[in-house]
Amino acid sequence: MASFRLTRSASRALLSPSLSSSLSIFSSSSQSSSTAITSPHFGNPFTRLSHLFPDYANSPRHFKVSKENLSFLSNFRPGIVWISTSSGVADSSGKGDQPRSSSDNKNVAVVPSWIEVYLPPGIQPYAKLARLDKPIGTWLLAWPCMWSITLASTPGHLPDFKMMALFGCGALLLRGAGCTVNDLLDRDIDTKEHFARRWNLLLGLGILLQLNNYSRVLGASSLLLVFSYPLMKRITFWPQAYLGLTFNWGALLGWSAIRGSLDPAIVLPLYFSGVFWTLVYDTIYAHQDKEDDIKVGIKSTALRFGDSTKEWTTGFGIACIGSLALSGYNADIGWPYYAFLAAASGQMAWQIWTVNLTCRADCNRKFVSNKWFGAIIFSGILFGRVFS
């Protein structure tokens, strides 16, 4: 990937006629080179680019710079901006630069993550290891917990927000620990990463100890799933189902943290609704990597289902919504819940039937949209409980 790296002064030189600076061109090839160019005083931003880069006037599409990107630069804060000149896109899922389809060849401006901008350099490796700059995994892990805690609240009352905050922190730590375990199995890990793993687990243990005894045992029993999940993609074509069992354990734990025990008629349908939900979103996500997975021998439901993916995920979606409806009915929840459930059904149908499974960028967009599915269900449970 070739990129232009604009320092604080360089970005201003492009957009302010009173400033000048240098701009370096970097290449990701094995023999990268850089050229310093002093920018003259130009008026129109696109005119300035034509002067800075003579080839831009002849082939503006080569540089993939849009008015929106330049508008972004005009509001640029101290830091670094990257304007991609490749056909890739850096996403928020942790997959890095991903190829675009011909129909998805849009201009992008990519900025460093908040970790690189705000955190001290010594802390950045640990934050990146825990994927703090890619929060979608934390959202997907946290939502079943929030559903369960809210569903367990007393009808007509708000849920326990302190408990929700505790579980939110737990989701962040557990997700980081899970990512670290996955990295341990995928490549050699240095001392810093071993330390980060232990730190995450210790903090997670501290949170677990804040719960009642029943919940402590229940929470500890999930560790087998957490640590064995990364092995599943090497064993079975159904690692997404195993991930569902792991990621949605909070649906059981949240209820027990409030009530001190489990009500199977309510929490089991809620738990399995999350499992089916995971099978939908993680199968879509797995389609991003299917070519690479074939090469390295990794298994997934995306490879198992192939061209029948949309039919399979539709079935899982129906099972998810049906299980949510059953859980709400058994919990005697109020009517607003079902209105939100209908909206969530529409969101899930949209992502399943509009996703382009051959386009990595679109698969990622649909995958990330599941944070809104979780939010819709949570809103339905909240209003359904308050107005019970």
Side-chain angles (χ1 to χ4, degrees):
M1 167 182 165
S3 301
F4 300 122
R5 183 181 182 181
L6 279 70
T7 63
R8 174 185 178 185
S9 55
S11 63
R12 289 181 175 175
L14 285 174
L15 297 160
S16 172
S18 63
L19 296 174
S20 65
S21 66
S22 63
L23 180 145
S24 297
I25 304 175
F26 295 89
S27 172
S28 61
S29 63
S30 58
Q31 296 180 346
S32 61
S33 61
S34 63
T35 305
I37 305 175
T38 301
S39 64
H41 298 166
F42 303 124
N44 183 281
F46 282 93
T47 304
R48 295 172 205 155
L49 283 173
S50 298
H51 282 77
L52 280 172
F53 312 108
D55 288 341
Y56 175 76
N58 299 324
S59 182
R61 286 179 295 179
H62 171 72
F63 290 91
K64 300 190 184 301
V65 179
S66 69
K67 290 182 179 180
E68 293 178 297
N69 294 337
L70 292 176
S71 174
F72 167 78
L73 290 176
S74 66
N75 297 316
F76 180 61
R77 297 187 298 173
I80 296 172
V81 171
W82 291 88
I83 301 179
S84 172
T85 62
S86 72
S87 60
V89 53
D91 64 48
S92 61
S93 68
K95 292 296 177 185
D97 290 337
Q98 298 181 354
R100 290 178 175 272
S101 66
S102 58
S103 62
D104 193 38
N105 194 16
K106 298 179 181 178
N107 303 330
V108 294
V110 183
V111 298
S113 70
W114 65 269
I115 289 177
E116 296 165 321
V117 174
Y118 296 109
L119 294 185
I123 298 177
Q124 289 182 15
Y126 304 111
K128 290 179 179 179
L129 186 65
R131 313 301 201 268
L132 296 185
D133 55 337
K134 302 173 181 71
I136 181 59
T138 302
W139 280 117
L140 296 176
L141 188 59
W143 279 130
C145 306
M146 306 308 167
W147 299 350
S148 187
I149 291 171
T150 308
L151 195 60
S153 62
T154 304
H157 293 78
L158 292 173
D160 187 334
F161 290 108
K162 179 181 177 181
M163 189 65 70
M164 292 174 65
L166 200 64
F167 271 73
C169 293
L172 180 65
L173 293 169
L174 187 60
R175 193 261 179 144
C179 290
T180 305
V181 172
N182 189 67
D183 289 343
L184 281 165
L185 294 173
D186 283 346
R187 58 185 175 86
D188 292 333
I189 300 299
D190 61 26
T191 303
K192 288 184 178 180
E193 293 179 347
H194 278 299
F195 176 79
R197 177 192 178 196
R198 295 189 187 102
W199 184 247
N200 271 1
L201 292 176
L202 285 174
L203 290 175
L205 177 62
I207 290 177
L208 186 63
L209 292 177
Q210 305 300 311
L211 307 181
N212 56 56
N213 289 333
Y214 187 97
S215 299
R216 291 174 187 174
V217 175
L218 184 63
S221 64
S222 70
L223 292 179
L224 177 62
L225 293 171
V226 172
F227 287 108
S228 60
Y229 160 69
L231 297 171
M232 293 301 109
K233 60 187 177 183
R234 297 168 173 81
I235 298 173
T236 176
F237 280 100
W238 292 85
Q240 282 69 29
Y242 202 86
L243 178 66
L245 296 173
T246 307
F247 250 48
N248 295 280
W249 199 260
L252 306 176
L253 195 57
W255 182 280
S256 71
I258 300 297
R259 298 291 184 95
S261 63
L262 293 178
D263 185 339
I266 297 174
V267 297
L268 288 183
L270 186 67
Y271 176 61
F272 285 109
S273 72
V275 175
F276 291 126
W277 177 39
T278 305
L279 278 163
V280 172
Y281 67 67
D282 209 53
T283 297
I284 292 174
Y285 182 85
H287 271 274
Q288 297 180 95
D289 301 324
K290 54 191 175 185
E291 291 84 4
D292 295 333
D293 288 347
I294 292 174
K295 294 177 183 177
V296 299
I298 296 298
K299 300 177 175 65
S300 71
T301 49
L303 297 177
R304 171 65 177 80
F305 302 152
D307 294 337
S308 301
T309 290
K310 292 197 174 185
E311 288 76 11
W312 278 92
T313 51
T314 297
F316 295 140
I318 292 171
C320 171
I321 299 301
S323 297
L324 285 168
L326 178 60
S327 179
Y329 176 80
N330 289 341
D332 196 26
I333 200 168
W335 65 266
Y337 172 71
Y338 300 100
F340 280 91
L341 187 60
S345 302
Q347 198 279 341
M348 181 172 283
W350 164 78
Q351 59 173 298
I352 291 173
W353 288 103
T354 64
V355 63
N356 181 355
L357 296 174
T358 64
C359 174
R360 291 191 177 189
D362 194 45
C363 287
N364 183 67
R365 277 194 294 270
K366 298 305 191 295
F367 168 73
V368 172
S369 77
N370 279 278
K371 64 186 177 184
W372 299 115
F373 177 88
I376 294 170
I377 296 298
F378 170 74
S379 300
I381 297 174
L382 178 63
F383 284 100
R385 262 297 177 238
V386 171
F387 295 103
S388 292

